[in-house]
Amino acid sequence: MIVLTGLVISVAGIYLATSSLAKPIAPSMRIAVMVSDSGNLYFAGVIQRAAAKLAAADLAEAVKVNLAFEDAGDSVFEAKNALARVKAFDADLLLAPIESDSAKLVAQLTKDQFPIIATAPLADDVDNKQPFFRLTSSHSQDIISLAELISRKKPATVLIAYSSDAYGRDVMKSLAFGLTLRGVQKVQVIAINDVSAIRKIRPEALVVASLEQSVGFFSSMRDWLPQVEQTYLVPGNLANYVGYPWAKTLKGTKAILPKDATTAEFRNRLASTLGRPALLSNPKAPVFALAWHTYEAVQLAAQAFLEANSTSPESLRAALLGTKAKGELRFQSSGYQKDVDYTVFSYGVLGSYAPEGSFSPN
């Protein structure tokens, strides 16, 4: 009986050994995702978690991705505590917070300890000494691309009506600089609430650089707008204006957004995972873009890990910098996206917008 038992154990050992040879154990890496569970974007955390888990599940046979989710919070104290947990988790790579202020703080506190991938548009001053890999174009990239689109029409005069908040001022400065650099003869900037000064001008092109102030502007300038040959909006005021009495004056107004890479299959998977089928009623909802970039970031991190065959920060950064899309390097040496393609949107007579075509500023 003892001999038989020993034989059974030996056979079992052989079986386990051959089974492990038949199906090699996937290498593993650790990714910390800085989610938004608090603040103005508190609703995004559940989206980030679901997308990261989908990516990890799809990678399971090639790479075992261990995930940790931490919220940077609203203070230095909370951010330090979150990053202490990330360090205890022994993360190989970090997905940045989706708010610029939090991302900037995390970059400063980590001191290049991890390669960092950004999954949402962040301010240009969010950076650290090493490349900060951005999976979306930055705010300034989008505005400079809009300047390129406008300048190709060769307007002699462009008026920028800007709001007095930080967003409006930043857009105005970047756009005015971009237009001047591209040879536009006359660029005028006037505060959006100075309607008397605006009414005295007949520009060939108008850019409304604002957030919610656009509604009041369009209402008060409904009789003046038709005199402008071409009006442009920026991402901050690209909205559905159906139902407003002045909506028809927006007909032909244009705007651009980075091309959306999400697919119906991905949106269906995400909605199913979250148990929220109602999300599918708005396929252009920003949550899908955030989810896709989160999914993409985990996939990209795993690809870099496999190519580098190492989890050292230097090796992962080098592998990320070498990532290609359409046969070309995906990132600039600074980590910014290269060769961003855009969708051009145009407004109809009812005040809603729809894709009109594509635009490549490069």
Side-chain angles (χ1 to χ4, degrees):
M1 178 63 83
I2 294 174
V3 174
L4 180 59
T5 303
L7 179 61
V8 171
I9 292 173
S10 298
V11 171
I14 294 170
Y15 173 77
L16 290 172
T18 55
S19 296
S20 63
L21 287 174
K23 190 175 182 180
I25 298 174
S28 64
M29 73 177 304
R30 296 173 178 270
I31 299 176
V33 184
M34 305 304 292
V35 294
S36 286
D37 290 330
S38 59
N40 294 331
L41 301 178
Y42 67 91
F43 56 87
V46 65
I47 304 295
Q48 294 170 280
R49 284 181 172 84
K53 289 176 181 178
L54 280 177
D58 290 347
L59 287 164
E61 291 190 8
V63 181
K64 181 183 179 183
V65 177
N66 299 292
L67 296 168
F69 301 98
E70 296 290 345
D71 184 359
D74 302 315
S75 66
V76 175
F77 176 76
E78 290 175 304
K80 284 183 175 179
N81 284 341
L83 290 173
R85 292 190 292 271
V86 168
K87 186 174 181 180
F89 173 66
D90 197 23
D92 303 310
L93 183 140
L94 204 65
L95 267 57
I98 60 176
E99 293 180 295
S100 294
D101 289 344
S102 295
K104 186 187 300 186
L105 179 58
V106 165
Q108 292 170 348
L109 293 174
T110 57
K111 297 179 180 178
D112 301 323
Q113 183 179 352
F114 317 98
I116 300 179
I117 299 178
T119 59
L122 298 175
D124 291 274
D125 60 351
V126 177
D127 211 343
N128 52 6
K129 294 179 181 178
Q130 299 294 335
F132 197 94
F133 299 97
R134 298 171 183 253
L135 295 188
T136 65
S137 56
S138 71
H139 172 65
S140 66
Q141 280 181 300
D142 292 345
I143 298 305
I144 292 301
S145 295
L146 178 60
E148 175 65 23
L149 177 70
I150 295 171
S151 67
R152 290 186 184 183
K153 296 292 185 180
K154 301 187 183 303
T157 58
V158 177
L159 168 64
I160 304 173
Y162 68 97
S163 55
S164 59
D165 52 37
Y167 179 83
R169 293 196 305 271
D170 287 346
V171 170
M172 177 269 290
K173 291 175 184 176
S174 295
L175 189 59
F177 175 75
L179 290 169
T180 302
L181 201 63
R182 285 161 176 76
V184 175
Q185 297 176 19
K186 189 174 183 181
V187 180
Q188 295 176 280
V189 297
I190 301 178
I192 196 170
N193 57 359
D194 193 353
V195 294
S196 59
I198 293 174
R199 284 181 175 278
K200 296 176 183 178
I201 300 172
R202 295 292 182 271
E204 288 185 28
L206 165 71
V207 183
V208 182
S210 68
L211 292 171
E212 66 274 6
Q213 297 91 335
S214 58
V215 173
F217 176 76
F218 291 138
S219 179
S220 61
M221 302 295 283
R222 68 177 78 183
D223 60 328
W224 177 85
L225 284 170
Q227 302 176 46
V228 179
E229 186 174 326
Q230 182 62 62
T231 299
Y232 298 89
L233 300 186
V234 297
N237 52 33
L238 179 61
N240 188 334
Y241 294 106
V242 173
Y244 287 100
W246 41 261
K248 63 182 180 181
T249 63
L250 295 182
K251 183 181 179 181
T253 294
K254 299 186 186 303
I256 61 171
L257 287 176
K259 280 196 171 180
D260 180 11
T262 60
T263 63
E265 179 187 6
F266 179 78
R267 292 192 292 270
N268 285 331
R269 287 184 68 194
L270 182 72
S272 176
T273 299
L274 292 170
R276 294 168 61 183
L279 284 175
L280 298 174
S281 64
N282 183 9
K284 296 298 182 183
V287 295
F288 287 121
L290 173 61
W292 171 252
H293 291 309
T294 303
Y295 178 94
E296 186 182 25
V298 174
Q299 294 267 336
L300 193 65
Q303 177 187 338
F305 166 60
L306 290 174
E307 290 181 1
N309 194 27
S310 170
T311 56
S312 75
E314 296 77 14
S315 298
L316 287 176
R317 287 191 185 99
L320 287 169
L321 276 175
T323 303
K324 291 187 176 182
K326 301 177 184 178
E328 301 291 336
L329 288 175
R330 178 169 188 165
F331 300 106
Q332 302 174 21
S333 59
S334 59
Y336 280 81
Q337 285 269 57
K338 293 182 66 176
D339 303 334
V340 181
D341 292 324
Y342 292 84
T343 298
V344 180
F345 293 91
S346 182
Y347 276 82
V349 70
L350 297 178
S352 61
Y353 62 93
E356 179 185 74
S358 299
F359 169 66
S360 176
N362 304 293

